[in-house]
Amino acid sequence: MNKLTYERPAIIRQVDGLMNKVGRPAPARPFDEIDGVRIDDLVAQYGSPLFVFSERTIRHRIREAMQTFSVRYPRVQFAWSYKTNYLDAICRIFHQEGSIAEVVSEMEYLKARRNGMLGSQIIYNGPYKTEASLKQAAAEGAMIHVDNFEEIAALEAVSDELGKKLDVGIRINLDSQIYPQWDRFGFNLESYQAYHAVKRMVSGGKLNLVTFHCHLGTFILDPWAYARAIVKLLDFAAYLRAEFKIVIRNINMGGGFASSNTLHQQYLPGEQVSPSLAQYADAISSVLMSSPIADQLNLILESGRSLVDEAGSLISTVRATKRLASGRRAIVLDAGVNLLFTAYWYKLQILPVQPFQGLSEETTVYGPLCMNIDCVRDGVVLPDLQKGDRVAIRPAGAYCFTQSMQFIALRPACILLGMNGEIDCIRRAEVLEDLVACESLPDRLAGEPAHQQDTRTSRVISISR
């Protein structure tokens, strides 16, 4: 008897209204405007695809976050995560609203300085920091979070060169019952690696530890994971005070708050299951406020995704339609995973821009790249979209632009819709010159391509058997 092939079970969410005697209901209205500005008008002026960001949404979200946390804990500071979206205009909105900068590379550090941040207003994270950037950051008073033992030695060399002891932080990873556990970055707490790193700093006598940094991961759906982590950090801080007389002044819990996006493995949409800012704030502040050293600790948060994701949309146009071998309908957009890298992890919403009618059905949404992996959504219920129709893909404010790439296609323009109806192009669409500007062509390759041989003078060789 042949053994049957195992097929993994799958749960597929049913869409309301699929089976009834009058057919499938259509959504109430198209997604045809953002902050009162018609999407068709934006595309007519700036082209498709097109990133559109709402300044009103960004300011509302950061103000809500600051209010939510500050009423629960008196000393809280937000730091804008540059890697989430490092367009200058976006960063400056957050800085205007009181956020300092959190960067993870030399490039981002220089960008933050360009955007008016003083060194003392920059948190420098990341697993690799160049020696030049470490020296600049230390000289300018940035808060450097040590990620590995090599950085301890590098910072000691900087301390010698600058002739002063440096205040630093240490990145700690730990078990907060979020799995898989992020243990690539920093020093592990449970294995005593973090303790040995601190002891190494103390032995060197050139670094003054003042900050714990603990970023649990991304899209954390359990707010109490932060509380469990803080309990461990506070215990560690008490131990270090007793043994080394180290006084921790700052606890930086990184980011990881979920947006309204939906992970591929989620059954329900993200907006129904993602915790609110208040839930995160309750979990974090309840532990901090119960600590005997609550009046001595500053709370730092580097939330990025949850503050900007809903503020961004990517407008795209249908360029072709087809039927797959399975019979499923498919559409080809002019925006793919080159602009929507997050599509690999999230079920991005795809909303028709124009009025529509007729039967909706399961549709696979492809991008324009000549790559089989260029799939924005493997299956999503959409109306009968035709060539020239437009869709809004959202939320696309977090990581989509910063992870976009010049692969097969150039990157589009980015538009910011202002608080008072302003429409500003904050990054123009790329042209070919942008792609080749850094290239250098050797002289031997600079001539005209060889012309094909004149067919009248070419030899024809026949081979007979």
Side-chain angles (χ1 to χ4, degrees):
M1 178 178 177
N2 294 330
K3 186 177 180 179
L4 297 176
T5 302
Y6 172 76
E7 293 185 10
R8 188 178 67 175
I11 300 176
I12 301 175
R13 181 172 65 90
Q14 297 297 313
V15 179
D16 290 343
L18 286 185
M19 300 299 293
N20 62 61
K21 64 182 180 181
V22 296
R24 184 177 299 169
R29 63 180 299 273
F31 188 86
D32 56 0
E33 63 178 39
I34 301 174
D35 288 355
V37 180
R38 287 181 51 80
I39 290 175
D40 284 343
D41 294 340
L42 292 173
V43 173
Q45 184 172 358
Y46 298 103
S48 174
L50 179 68
F51 279 110
V52 181
F53 299 98
S54 165
E55 181 180 350
R56 179 180 292 114
T57 302
I58 295 173
R59 291 191 187 275
H60 169 77
R61 191 64 172 165
I62 182 59
R63 290 171 186 176
E64 177 190 10
M66 294 179 72
Q67 171 72 10
T68 300
F69 276 87
S70 63
V71 298
R72 290 166 171 82
Y73 193 76
R75 286 173 304 285
V76 60
Q77 174 65 62
F78 278 84
W80 173 238
S81 167
Y82 263 54
K83 67 180 179 294
T84 309
N85 189 321
Y86 51 58
L87 287 165
D88 282 351
I90 303 297
C91 295
R92 288 185 180 238
I93 293 173
F94 280 97
H95 296 331
Q96 285 182 359
E97 293 293 336
S99 292
I100 58 176
E102 184 264 335
V103 304
V104 295
S105 69
E106 182 176 29
M107 178 273 287
E108 289 187 357
Y109 187 91
L110 296 175
K111 220 172 190 308
R113 295 290 282 118
R114 162 192 167 96
N115 281 323
M117 291 287 99
L118 302 174
S120 58
Q121 297 171 308
I122 299 175
I123 297 168
Y124 196 1
N125 283 318
Y128 168 62
K129 309 172 185 74
T130 66
E131 292 181 4
S133 67
L134 280 177
K135 181 178 178 181
Q136 178 180 357
E140 294 176 345
M143 174 51 64
I144 301 169
H145 291 163
V146 177
D147 180 83
N148 49 69
F149 284 101
E150 285 78 5
E151 273 188 3
I152 295 176
L155 283 168
E156 287 177 338
V158 171
S159 172
D160 287 338
E161 192 171 349
L162 297 178
K164 65 176 183 179
K165 195 170 184 178
L166 304 179
D167 286 349
V168 298
I170 183 175
R171 180 155 183 174
I172 298 173
N173 66 73
L174 48 77
D175 184 359
S176 64
Q177 299 177 29
I178 294 294
Y179 307 111
Q181 180 180 328
W182 275 31
D183 58 2
R184 173 192 167 186
F185 305 105
F187 303 91
N188 183 253
L189 183 65
E190 286 83 7
S191 68
Y192 291 92
Q193 190 181 54
Y195 168 77
H196 291 303
V198 174
K199 191 171 183 179
R200 170 65 182 81
M201 292 183 194
V202 172
S203 300
K206 299 172 183 178
L207 306 180
N208 183 35
L209 180 61
V210 297
T211 300
F212 284 164
H213 176 253
C214 182
H215 180 77
L216 301 180
T218 187
F219 218 82
I220 304 298
L221 295 173
D222 177 11
W224 289 98
Y226 293 91
R228 293 189 289 270
I230 293 173
V231 168
K232 291 188 173 185
L233 293 176
L234 291 174
D235 287 345
F236 189 42
Y239 182 83
L240 296 183
R241 179 181 289 232
E243 181 164 347
F244 301 116
K245 294 183 172 52
I246 290 175
V247 178
I248 299 299
R249 299 199 298 262
N250 310 302
I251 288 189
N252 183 333
M253 291 309 298
F257 301 166
S259 69
S260 65
N261 224 327
T262 304
L263 293 165
H264 279 300
Q265 64 264 33
Q266 283 181 216
Y267 180 69
L268 293 173
E271 61 267 23
Q272 296 183 25
V273 299
S274 294
S276 65
L277 287 171
Q279 288 174 289
Y280 290 112
D282 285 339
I284 292 172
S285 63
S286 63
V287 178
L288 285 176
M289 290 301 295
S290 64
S291 168
I293 57 172
D295 59 340
Q296 304 169 27
L297 287 172
N298 301 308
L299 171 63
I300 301 174
L301 298 169
E302 301 165 356
S303 185
R305 182 189 304 279
S306 67
L307 301 184
V308 78
D309 214 6
E310 285 78 10
S313 303
L314 179 62
I315 311 304
S316 185
T317 302
V318 177
R319 298 304 181 185
T321 64
K322 57 178 62 179
R323 287 282 171 183
L324 304 179
S326 63
R328 176 183 284 186
R329 185 173 62 194
I331 60 174
V332 178
L333 301 178
D334 57 9
V337 296
N338 56 321
L339 304 178
L340 295 163
F341 201 73
T342 58
Y344 289 123
W345 296 279
Y346 299 100
K347 298 177 184 177
L348 300 172
Q349 298 177 48
I350 301 178
L351 308 173
V353 168
Q354 61 289 311
F356 47 84
Q357 56 185 341
L359 187 65
S360 297
E361 62 177 293
E362 195 84 2
T363 304
T364 296
V365 181
Y366 294 114
L369 308 181
C370 192
M371 296 289 290
N372 201 47
I373 61 172
D374 187 21
C375 181
V376 178
R377 282 291 299 270
D378 183 53
V380 58
V381 176
L382 289 173
D384 187 19
L385 299 175
Q386 298 298 315
K387 180 180 180 180
D389 287 343
R390 297 190 180 99
V391 295
I393 304 171
R394 36 179 302 108
Y399 294 102
C400 289
F401 173 75
T402 48
Q403 292 180 334
S404 65
M405 63 190 93
Q406 296 166 320
F407 178 62
I408 298 181
L410 298 169
R411 287 177 289 192
C414 299
I415 303 302
L416 179 67
L417 304 181
M419 297 286 289
N420 300 307
E422 305 95 336
I423 302 175
D424 297 299
C425 181
I426 57 175
R427 192 178 194 273
R428 62 167 174 78
E430 293 177 343
V431 294
L432 183 60
E433 285 69 22
D434 298 317
L435 180 64
V436 301
C438 296
E439 295 186 29
S440 179
L441 191 65
D443 291 341
R444 68 180 184 279
L445 303 178
E448 291 295 327
H451 295 292
Q452 289 185 341
Q453 238 183 346
D454 190 328
T455 56
R456 292 173 297 178
T457 61
S458 61
R459 290 183 61 193
V460 178
I461 300 176
S462 62
I463 300 176
S464 59
R465 294 185 182 276

